[in-house]
């Protein structure tokens, strides 16, 4: 199972980070980033199959692809900003982590506006 590889890599990276931080604290962040990238690469193939299934569903249901792309972008931004914020927290920079999360949330709001406007237009049409 893939999850055992992911958890194993996470545990090894955590132990390695703890040991290395005793001698060279600045390298702990590098190990954390490397582990995060490796885990992402391990699951990237799984994401492709999810995108393919969702594309097939949108074709069958005749959903506008613009909305689906926006939702994928929003999900991606959420994950990336959370990853960046966690790296900042690992480095002891809580204030910067908060700003990274805030930036991600604002970008998500901007990307969600077209979907929100579409929902409001649909509600207005249904009410009239």
């Amino acid at each position: 199972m893939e999850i055992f590889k992911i958890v194993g890599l996470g545990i090894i990276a955590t132990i390695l980070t703890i040991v290395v931080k005793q001698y060279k604290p600045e390298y702990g962040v590098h190990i954390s980033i490397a582990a995060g990238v490796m885990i992402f690469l391990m699951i990237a193939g799984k994401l492709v199959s999810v995108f393919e299934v969702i594309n097939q569903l949108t074709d069958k249901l005749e959903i506008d692809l613009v909305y689906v792309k926006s939702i994928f972008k929003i999900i991606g931004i959420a994950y990336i900003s959370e990853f960046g914020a966690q790296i900042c927290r690992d480095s002891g920079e809580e204030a910067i982590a908060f700003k990274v999360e805030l930036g991600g949330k604002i970008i998500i709001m901007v990307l969600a506006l077209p979907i929100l406007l579409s929902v409001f237009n649909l509600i207005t049409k249904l009410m009239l």
Side-chain angles (χ1 to χ4, degrees), residues 71-81:
I71 291 171
F72 281 135
K73 286 179 185 179
I74 288 169
I75 292 169
I77 289 168
Y79 282 126
I80 291 169
S81 62

XYZ file of all heavy atoms in Angstrom, residues 71-81:
87
model
N -12.406 25.267 -9.306
C -12.416 24.472 -8.075
C -11.081 23.767 -7.879
O -10.538 23.733 -6.764
C -13.593 23.474 -8.082
C -14.905 24.248 -7.963
C -13.458 22.445 -6.969
C -16.138 23.418 -8.169
N -10.502 23.230 -8.949
C -9.189 22.594 -8.843
C -8.123 23.601 -8.448
O -7.232 23.311 -7.638
C -8.798 21.900 -10.143
C -9.455 20.570 -10.343
C -10.005 20.230 -11.563
C -9.530 19.652 -9.321
C -10.616 19.001 -11.755
C -10.139 18.421 -9.497
C -10.681 18.100 -10.721
N -8.188 24.800 -9.012
C -7.226 25.840 -8.639
C -7.368 26.197 -7.168
O -6.371 26.370 -6.461
C -7.423 27.086 -9.496
C -6.933 26.935 -10.915
C -7.186 28.202 -11.706
C -6.807 28.033 -13.160
N -7.077 29.246 -13.936
N -8.598 26.306 -6.702
C -8.842 26.639 -5.300
C -8.278 25.558 -4.381
O -7.607 25.852 -3.388
C -10.351 26.848 -5.059
C -10.806 28.155 -5.703
C -10.687 26.812 -3.579
C -12.307 28.339 -5.767
N -8.513 24.306 -4.730
C -7.989 23.203 -3.920
C -6.465 23.218 -3.929
O -5.820 23.048 -2.885
C -8.542 21.854 -4.426
C -10.044 21.771 -4.161
C -7.811 20.680 -3.772
C -10.728 20.611 -4.853
N -5.879 23.443 -5.092
C -4.418 23.503 -5.199
C -3.829 24.629 -4.369
O -2.830 24.442 -3.661
N -4.448 25.797 -4.426
C -3.960 26.930 -3.645
C -4.071 26.637 -2.156
O -3.180 26.973 -1.373
C -4.725 28.213 -4.024
C -4.295 28.647 -5.430
C -4.486 29.327 -3.024
C -5.166 29.722 -6.035
N -5.156 25.999 -1.753
C -5.322 25.656 -0.332
C -4.205 24.728 0.138
O -3.611 24.948 1.207
C -6.686 25.013 -0.102
N -3.906 23.704 -0.646
C -2.848 22.774 -0.260
C -1.472 23.441 -0.266
O -0.668 23.234 0.646
C -2.828 21.550 -1.179
C -3.894 20.537 -0.856
C -4.780 20.102 -1.836
C -4.027 19.997 0.408
C -5.759 19.170 -1.553
C -5.000 19.064 0.706
C -5.865 18.657 -0.284
O -6.827 17.734 0.005
N -1.200 24.217 -1.286
C 0.111 24.857 -1.391
C 0.323 25.877 -0.274
O 1.396 25.923 0.340
C 0.281 25.512 -2.780
C 0.396 24.426 -3.846
C 1.505 26.430 -2.813
C 0.296 24.937 -5.267
N -0.711 26.674 0.009
C -0.545 27.663 1.079
C -0.409 26.982 2.438
O 0.368 27.433 3.287
C -1.691 28.676 1.074
O -2.924 28.059 1.302
